[in-house]
Amino acid sequence: VQTCALPILEEAYVDFRAAQRDYAAGDFKKALGEFDKHLRLYPTSDTAPNALFWKAKSNLKLGDYRGAIGDFEQLRKDYSTSTKVPFAMHNQAVAHSNLGETDKAKALLEEVIKNYPATPAAEQAKIDLQRLQGKN
């Protein structure tokens, strides 16, 4: 009996979807570990930028704001052309805000609005920036 191994690309998608299911179910700790494992196993896959984004979001949900900031920063550096970048910047601003680092949060929100004006992330950044500036 011969077994047919899945191509690596398909294995990456299956692995990524499993981690996403755990995130969607609210098991952020398990999802964090799975996204981290995914990045170790498939660092060059086309799912890697999304896995890093959701790893950072898992950290954010778990209250590890420094971990989230580091992951979002890595996404911006390693996958600068990813469509997740403006969302990463917005979420990074949220993490800074949660740490009381309002100036860093404002600067990131302003950068999202300036560099990605037509994105949903920019729309949310405008709302959050007004809130941080006390213009709610």
Side-chain angles (χ1 to χ4, degrees):
V1 176
Q2 268 188 318
T3 59
C4 181
L6 290 172
I8 292 226
L9 193 60
E10 191 173 334
E11 288 174 4
Y13 280 111
V14 170
D15 188 69
F16 178 72
R17 284 193 299 268
Q20 279 189 309
R21 280 192 296 277
D22 287 324
Y23 183 92
D27 193 345
F28 305 117
K29 189 171 185 175
K30 185 175 180 186
L32 176 68
E34 289 179 342
F35 286 124
D36 194 44
K37 179 186 84 166
H38 181 84
L39 289 163
R40 283 193 316 274
L41 292 175
Y42 311 104
T44 60
S45 73
D46 58 353
T47 54
N50 284 332
L52 185 53
F53 177 83
W54 290 106
K55 178 187 174 204
K57 288 283 286 185
S58 297
N59 273 322
L60 197 60
K61 291 282 191 179
L62 292 166
D64 180 3
Y65 303 125
R66 289 278 171 230
I69 289 167
D71 289 339
F72 287 129
E73 194 62 38
Q74 183 181 349
L75 177 97
R76 293 174 60 200
K77 180 178 156 259
D78 293 351
Y79 307 103
S80 61
T81 60
S82 170
T83 58
K84 291 288 190 202
V85 168
F87 300 99
M89 292 171 69
H90 175 263
N91 281 283
Q92 189 175 354
V94 169
H96 280 297
S97 180
N98 286 332
L99 289 169
E101 298 170 349
T102 307
D103 289 342
K104 288 180 181 180
K106 286 179 185 176
L108 277 165
L109 294 172
E110 289 167 352
E111 193 176 340
V112 171
I113 294 164
K114 178 183 173 197
N115 294 336
Y116 305 95
T119 64
E123 291 305 311
Q124 187 60 50
K126 290 175 188 174
I127 294 165
D128 291 347
L129 186 57
Q130 285 185 342
R131 183 181 49 78
L132 285 177
Q133 293 172 333
K135 298 178 183 174
N136 193 302

